[in-house]
Amino acid sequence: MLKVTSLCRNFGGLPALSEVSFSLQRGRVTALIGPNGAGKSTMINCITGVDQPDAGRVEYLGEEITGMPAYRVAHLGIARTFQNLRLFPRLSVLDNVLCGLTVQGGKSMFGALIRPPQVRNRERRLRLKAMSALDRFGLTDLADWPVDVLAYGDRKRVELARAIVSEPSLILLDEPVAGLNHEETALVGHEIRALRAQGYTLLLVEHDMDLVMGVSDHVVVLDGGRCIASGTPDEVRQNPLVLEAYLGRTAVMA
Amino acid sequence: MTGRDKILYFLYLHRNGLTVLALSCLLAIYPLIYGNPYILGLTNLIGLYTIVVLGLNLFIGYAGQISLGHAAFFALGAYGSAILTTEWGFWPWPTILLVALGSGAVALLVGIPTLRLHGHYLAMATLGFNIVIYTVLVQWDELTGGPSGFYGVPSLAIGSWQFDSDLKLHYLVWAAALVCLTLALNLVRSGVGRGLAALAGDEVAARSLGVDTRTAKVKVFVLSAVLASLAGSLYAHTFGFVSPDTFNIFASVDFVTMVVVGGLGSVWGSLFGAALLTWLPEFIDLFESYKDIIHGLILVVVLMFLPQGLVTGLIDLARVRLARWRHRRA
Ligand SMILES: Nc1ncnc2c1ncn2[C@@H]1O[C@H](COP(=O)(O)OP(=O)(O)O)[C@@H](O)[C@H]1O
Ligand SMILES: [Mg+2]
């Protein structure tokens, strides 16, 4: 479904990604793991047009999307979350999630000014959709709250709700459970499994190995901007290169 | 739901429409009770400024940009209508639209290169544009009447019925202002409006959600220029006279101050900001003599303590307090 070929990205001469290739299968959950600074977030940014790769190719459904502006990538049905939350602080929880429906929200400024019945009905439909996404993440009671007063865990879930509300064909999650407590991690883990059961295609960047090993069909390991291993969770777990990359950094892999 | 709940819910659901309706009734009745021409002249001015400030607030408060040149678009509307109807014999009504389209086209030309800039650079670019337009108005005196202004702009008329008294103009100006207010309310409650609010909040996130931020900025800039131009045309026909000093850079700063006092991103605040800053100098002499300094001070002080503007900033503070309080009790 998504194919990344020999992707390179340098920051001031230092390679954050060098010659990374992998692909995502439709309906599968692929995990992208690796130590901090391995280039995982950079990879997501390069796929979604937030950052431009220096070389290599990104193909989505057979079409090249390398270097395409982020808003056009979004219109192809690719949604994402950010490692360091990027919510709209002054908007309410509901409005934040409604922003996730931009692609379906109509582009005509004239229509928006005049607000004919079609626009009115569309707004009503979008609201219902957003409310059901809030419900899914247990945020219904917080709908009218400004996001900047929410606890970190709640905000993290608002961002997830915003990413999935449009029913995107590909979802890229950058560390969705980092900083969450046990309960919240369980809830999000449960939702990721539910998304997978519904047939969504996901790329999951995560440090929580229980989650990664539990939900992924395929694991890609980055270290220092290079892809050092890939395969099923079991294969990766036993790969000596991976063990070495993680040695002393985390014991979960053992 | 009980009957009372239903009524409250209805009121809540239609709060914007009902407020517009209530305001319309108030504005329709009040000049019949209190028809002081001096006051009407003043409220007419407020209505015209409200139209400009509405557009500018969409640009500053929603799209998160800055313009110190909106008096220039106000000027294009005013001088465009004045010159075309007086010197060239154009029909006033279609001219208003024609000039608004022209101003929109100018905004497009100015906006495409400048809206790539950020913050100070954008402020400087729009300020520069205002200075250029002002200089043209002063220097090209065969066409514009130069520093002493342009006289004899005809009144608007429907058939032989002229909008020639403050009372009649009151209805014309406020009908236009209320229509613009309603359009702005529609816009901010739509997907396009949320896209703009997103853009002001976090440009990267907005883009990742599918907002074409560059185009959105240009579109709002053009929309705000069109509104300023409409207000300018009405201004020329309302007062029958235009002079360059109405459109200098201090006027642009005044508009920004009105936006800031009313609150960034608040449609109703635009009305409040325009009203307050137009009334005050009429009633407090100190304000009259040091208007520019005082407006500058208001701008700086409000932005230092309430970066979202006076009204919106206070509402935000209250909202956050309320939410925290509910959070603690829950
Ligand atoms: N905008 C940037 N400018 C300079 N260096 C960056 C930038 N973004 C990331 N890097 C560098 O690229 C490397 C990979 O970063 P990142 O993709 O965030 O890693 P990860 O998400 O795997 O922890 C790091 O060494 C980081 O310092
Ligand atoms: Mg990262």
Side-chain angles (χ1 to χ4, degrees), chain A residues 4-247:
Chain A
V4 175
T5 319
S6 307
L7 209 71
C8 300
R9 178 71 175 113
N10 301 312
F11 289 114
L14 293 171
L17 290 174
S18 39
E19 303 272 328
V20 181
S21 305
F22 67 91
S23 59
L24 304 183
Q25 305 300 320
R26 185 190 291 275
R28 301 279 179 79
V29 176
T30 305
L32 185 61
I33 64 170
N36 277 328
K40 306 179 297 292
S41 298
T42 305
M43 175 56 82
I44 290 194
N45 288 342
C46 287
I47 293 173
T48 54
V50 168
D51 196 358
Q52 312 294 327
D54 296 313
R57 246 173 109 78
V58 183
E59 278 168 59
Y60 177 65
L61 299 173
E63 187 194 344
E64 173 156 14
I65 61 164
T66 325
M68 191 184 260
Y71 79 91
R72 283 183 54 203
V73 174
H75 279 266
L76 294 176
I78 301 182
R80 65 167 295 176
T81 63
F82 293 88
Q83 181 174 355
N84 307 306
L85 293 172
R86 279 182 177 273
L87 291 169
F88 308 116
R90 294 193 54 250
L91 302 188
S92 70
V93 169
L94 178 63
D95 279 337
N96 264 278
V97 175
L98 276 168
C99 285
L101 289 164
T102 303
V103 172
Q104 294 157 34
K107 277 198 295 196
S108 156
M109 184 169 277
F110 189 71
L113 287 166
I114 306 292
R115 204 174 174 85
Q118 303 96 286
V119 172
R120 215 175 280 259
N121 292 334
R122 184 172 58 210
E123 281 298 314
R124 200 170 303 139
R125 248 190 352 262
L126 296 185
R127 262 181 110 77
L128 289 177
K129 239 178 160 170
M131 285 309 289
S132 77
L134 287 182
D135 187 41
R136 185 166 193 164
F137 288 96
L139 294 163
T140 308
D141 292 340
L142 300 179
D144 291 327
W145 287 37
V147 284
D148 49 359
V149 304
L150 299 188
Y152 185 75
D154 293 334
R155 275 188 279 160
K156 201 97 185 168
R157 270 149 51 221
V158 174
E159 214 193 28
L160 271 171
R162 186 179 74 181
I164 61 129
V165 66
S166 60
E167 296 166 25
S169 38
L170 173 62
I171 308 176
L172 313 172
L173 302 178
D174 199 348
E175 308 204 6
V177 303
L180 298 193
N181 66 29
H182 221 71
E183 240 170 275
E184 292 165 335
T185 304
L187 175 78
V188 171
H190 177 79
E191 280 314 319
I192 290 174
R193 278 184 204 99
L195 289 171
R196 174 175 179 245
Q198 277 179 274
Y200 278 101
T201 310
L202 277 103
L203 178 70
L204 174 66
V205 169
E206 193 41 76
H207 282 301
D208 185 318
M209 285 307 150
D210 288 338
L211 182 66
V212 168
M213 294 303 163
V215 302
S216 347
D217 301 288
H218 191 80
V219 181
V220 177
V221 190
L222 289 185
D223 186 24
R226 296 181 176 281
C227 176
I228 57 165
S230 69
T232 64
D234 282 329
E235 285 166 15
V236 165
R237 210 195 305 255
Q238 273 139 30
N239 189 316
L241 279 173
V242 179
L243 289 177
E244 195 191 309
Y246 271 89
L247 204 67

Side-chain angles (χ1 to χ4, degrees), chain B residues 197-208:
Chain B
L199 160 57
D202 185 329
E203 216 171 311
V204 173
R207 241 180 270 141
S208 296

Side-chain angles (χ1 to χ4, degrees), chain B residues 2-322:
Chain B
T2 65
R4 186 162 160 271
D5 283 349
K6 271 189 190 148
I7 293 173
L8 284 179
Y9 184 66
F10 179 86
L11 290 180
Y12 173 76
L13 206 62
H14 298 278
R15 58 193 183 283
N16 282 313
L18 290 170
T19 317
V20 172
L21 196 68
L23 185 65
S24 313
C25 293
L26 198 73
L27 285 165
I29 297 168
Y30 116 87
L32 302 178
I33 301 167
Y34 188 71
N36 178 335
Y38 166 73
I39 300 289
L40 280 181
L42 199 60
T43 52
N44 287 347
L45 196 58
I46 292 175
L48 295 170
Y49 284 163
T50 299
I51 299 177
V52 181
V53 176
L54 273 173
L56 188 58
N57 202 345
L58 290 174
F59 186 63
I60 298 179
Y62 271 85
Q65 309 301 304
I66 180 70
S67 164
L68 289 176
H70 261 56
F73 296 112
F74 193 44
L76 289 181
Y79 274 89
S81 271
I83 293 167
L84 289 177
T85 55
T86 313
E87 303 276 318
W88 299 54
F90 278 40
W91 290 331
W93 293 107
T95 306
I96 294 180
L97 291 183
L98 187 73
V99 171
L101 285 179
S103 304
V106 172
L108 195 65
L109 288 180
V110 174
I112 287 174
T114 50
L115 291 179
R116 288 163 186 261
L117 308 173
H118 288 275
H120 303 315
Y121 298 104
L122 185 56
M124 294 313 282
T126 47
L127 193 71
F129 171 66
N130 202 150
I131 292 172
V132 170
I133 295 289
Y134 178 75
T135 311
V136 170
L137 295 182
V138 174
Q139 299 291 332
W140 196 358
D141 47 11
E142 307 100 83
L143 190 68
T144 65
S148 51
F150 191 100
Y151 294 83
V153 186
S155 303
L156 287 163
I158 298 175
S160 61
W161 199 76
Q162 303 263 338
F163 287 98
D164 53 5
S165 71
D166 288 316
L167 183 66
K168 292 175 184 169
L169 284 163
H170 166 86
Y171 289 105
L172 177 72
V173 165
W174 281 102
L178 285 167
V179 167
C180 293
L181 195 85
T182 309
L183 295 182
L185 284 169
N186 284 344
L187 179 69
V188 304
R189 290 180 303 141
S190 71
V192 177
R194 278 191 302 274
L196 295 176
L199 160 57
D202 185 329
E203 216 171 311
V204 173
R207 241 180 270 141
S208 296
L209 294 171
V211 182
D212 180 359
T213 50
R214 191 177 293 163
T215 310
K217 285 181 204 170
V218 175
K219 274 187 183 169
V220 189
F221 189 61
V222 170
L223 175 69
S224 67
V226 167
L227 286 177
S229 167
L230 283 177
S233 295
L234 288 176
Y235 179 95
H237 290 297
T238 298
F239 296 102
F241 158 71
V242 283
S243 95
D245 283 336
T246 318
F247 309 103
N248 61 19
I249 55 172
F250 294 109
S252 284
V253 175
D254 285 353
F255 290 141
V256 174
T257 313
M258 290 174 187
V259 168
V260 165
V261 166
L264 270 60
S266 164
V267 171
W268 291 108
S270 305
L271 178 61
F272 175 77
L276 189 72
L277 290 188
T278 315
W279 276 90
L280 278 185
E282 301 295 323
F283 289 94
I284 304 170
D285 287 341
L286 190 71
F287 243 88
E288 175 74 75
S289 355
Y290 300 101
K291 187 162 147 281
D292 294 328
I293 296 174
I294 292 179
H295 280 193
L297 271 178
I298 293 178
L299 199 61
V300 171
V301 170
V302 172
L303 286 181
M304 264 169 64
F305 294 102
L306 292 167
Q308 282 308 319
L310 195 59
V311 174
T312 326
L314 290 175
I315 292 176
D316 270 11
L317 271 180
R319 258 185 4 143
V320 170
R321 284 273 158 80
L322 184 71

